[in-house]
Amino acid sequence: VKAQGLHSYRFFTASMNERTRALRRIETALRQALPRHELSLYYQPKVDAESGRIVGAEALLRWHANGRELYEPDQFIPVAEDTGLILPIGAWVLRQACKQAQLWQLRGRAIAVSVNVSPLQFQHADFYSWLDDVLNETGLDANLLELELTERMVMSGGDATTGLLQRIKRRGVRLSLDDFGTGYCSLSYLKHFPIDALKIDRVFVRDLISDRDTATITSSIIAMARSLNKLVIAEGVETREQGAFLRHAGCSQLQGFLYGAPMPAAEFQQQLLSTD
Ligand code: C2E
Ligand code: CA
Ligand code: CA
Ligand code: CA
């Protein structure tokens, strides 16, 4: 027993060191990523549940070097958050996404762009002025920008957070709660926050068809959200059955591989402009 304990202890420390080294590698490379132009935004269509028309796009960060993906967002975004690198990166994402949506608007297809905001960015004292500056500089209609926040960010901050959310709303920017249902936000709490939309997390969508409890929970989240006058968006929609279920349950927008994977800006624009 003793030997085994010692062995697993050694194993544990070795894997911790390995993990720390891997994170360091990501951090070192990530410091260079912006100046080296290795970061880009992909766009994934959000479609109207009734008409199937593209009504928005979520901007999703990608990191490529020499024509191939270096790390996935789930690997490097936590590192960016831990090291504070998410601040310059997040500012770049916001500006880039707004410029892009402004271009679509100029080409006659005014659709909303959704940007993921990280907790560190949102907590920063200058967040509102960055946002305001970007809107003023790019000239994008504020109501064509949607910020995706998580439950935790909205719930944890008290009065200061509510005040910031209200300021953002007054500026005309839309707010949605990402990954809804995975955190600890109760629906009744939601009416206190100036949130326009909820995004039902992918885990619900994934099990909708195979699991009756998931289907019941999802339907009631959608019904209650609607009774609070919130729009509901479903993410991770991969099959026609899931799409049909969610449309009947009252989702107003759908997003997922069924309607289009995240794609480079040029490809997205081509698809957008070739449809009405
Ligand atoms: P998220 O905000 O929940 O984004 C949705 C993720 O689901 C994306 O992963 C997207 O590619 C993926 N997805 C979309 N449709 C489907 C589908 O039908 N099936 C499945 N299985 N997956 C689908 P991605 O792009 O790897 O991003 C992962 C996470 O990284 C995002 O989760 C978001 O939390 C974060 N992220 C991405 N870009 C940014 C960014 O610019 N800033 C910040 N702060 N976070 C970002
Ligand atoms: Ca998101
Ligand atoms: Ca999500
Ligand atoms: Ca997520």
Side-chain angles (χ1 to χ4, degrees):
V1 172
K2 201 179 168 190
Q4 202 179 10
L6 193 63
H7 180 77
S8 59
Y9 174 73
R10 279 202 188 122
F11 179 78
F12 180 70
T13 51
S15 65
M16 285 295 281
N17 288 334
E18 186 46 52
R19 197 175 148 67
T20 307
R21 271 198 298 274
L23 293 178
R24 281 277 150 68
R25 264 199 307 276
I26 296 178
E27 181 187 343
T28 307
L30 194 56
R31 287 193 186 283
Q32 302 299 318
L34 260 187
R36 287 182 181 164
H37 306 287
E38 293 170 352
L39 299 179
S40 64
L41 291 181
Y42 275 32
Y43 295 90
Q44 183 177 34
K46 285 178 159 175
V47 306
D48 178 84
E50 294 301 328
S51 66
R53 194 170 187 261
I54 298 176
V55 290
E58 179 172 2
L60 293 158
L61 198 51
R62 292 293 180 266
W63 185 5
H64 289 98
N66 305 316
R68 53 179 206 95
E69 181 162 48
L70 278 190
Y71 297 97
E72 292 174 14
D74 287 331
Q75 297 176 298
F76 71 84
I77 285 171
V79 177
E81 178 79 19
D82 283 350
T83 54
L85 284 167
I86 197 69
L87 294 176
I89 292 173
W92 177 83
V93 167
L94 188 62
R95 183 172 305 268
Q96 190 72 16
C98 288
K99 277 190 201 163
Q100 190 60 70
Q102 157 75 356
L103 273 177
W104 297 330
Q105 191 178 10
L106 283 175
R107 304 245 150 91
R109 273 297 252 126
I111 62 162
V113 71
S114 306
V115 174
N116 293 286
V117 177
S118 92
L120 200 69
Q121 253 182 307
F122 189 68
Q123 284 156 20
H124 198 283
D126 293 334
F127 182 71
Y128 182 83
S129 51
W130 289 332
L131 181 67
D132 189 49
D133 287 351
V134 167
L135 288 170
N136 292 334
E137 285 165 26
T138 60
L140 179 68
D141 277 357
N143 65 2
L144 293 179
L145 174 64
E146 176 175 62
L147 300 180
E148 296 195 0
L149 312 173
T150 58
E151 296 167 57
R152 199 162 301 247
M153 289 160 66
V154 171
M155 297 282 293
S156 58
D159 289 351
T161 307
T162 311
L164 175 58
L165 293 173
Q166 278 160 350
R167 260 181 109 187
I168 296 172
K169 278 309 309 164
R170 276 199 303 274
R171 184 66 179 77
V173 173
R174 293 196 276 166
L175 295 170
S176 74
L177 270 193
D178 207 352
D179 304 338
F180 191 81
T182 59
Y184 50 92
C185 202
S186 77
L187 274 164
S188 60
Y189 219 97
L190 267 185
K191 63 175 186 282
H192 302 299
F193 296 109
I195 295 286
D196 303 283
L198 301 184
K199 286 188 89 171
I200 302 268
D201 194 73
R202 200 163 71 222
V203 296
F204 294 98
V205 176
R206 190 190 58 205
D207 297 339
L208 264 184
I209 304 303
S210 59
D211 180 56
R212 281 185 71 168
D213 291 343
T214 302
T216 307
I217 293 166
T218 307
S219 302
S220 37
I221 292 178
I222 297 169
M224 283 192 278
R226 286 178 54 118
S227 71
L228 294 169
N229 283 318
K230 311 292 182 192
L231 290 181
V232 187
I233 301 163
E235 67 177 0
V237 182
E238 295 180 356
T239 70
R240 297 172 68 98
E241 290 88 344
Q242 291 166 346
F245 181 101
L246 291 160
R247 184 174 62 247
H248 289 130
C251 277
S252 35
Q253 290 178 23
L254 305 171
Q255 182 185 352
F257 295 159
L258 181 64
Y259 311 101
M263 59 193 107
E267 200 179 314
F268 180 83
Q269 177 164 311
Q270 196 176 23
Q271 195 164 314
L272 179 70
L273 299 181
S274 68
T275 57
D276 285 312

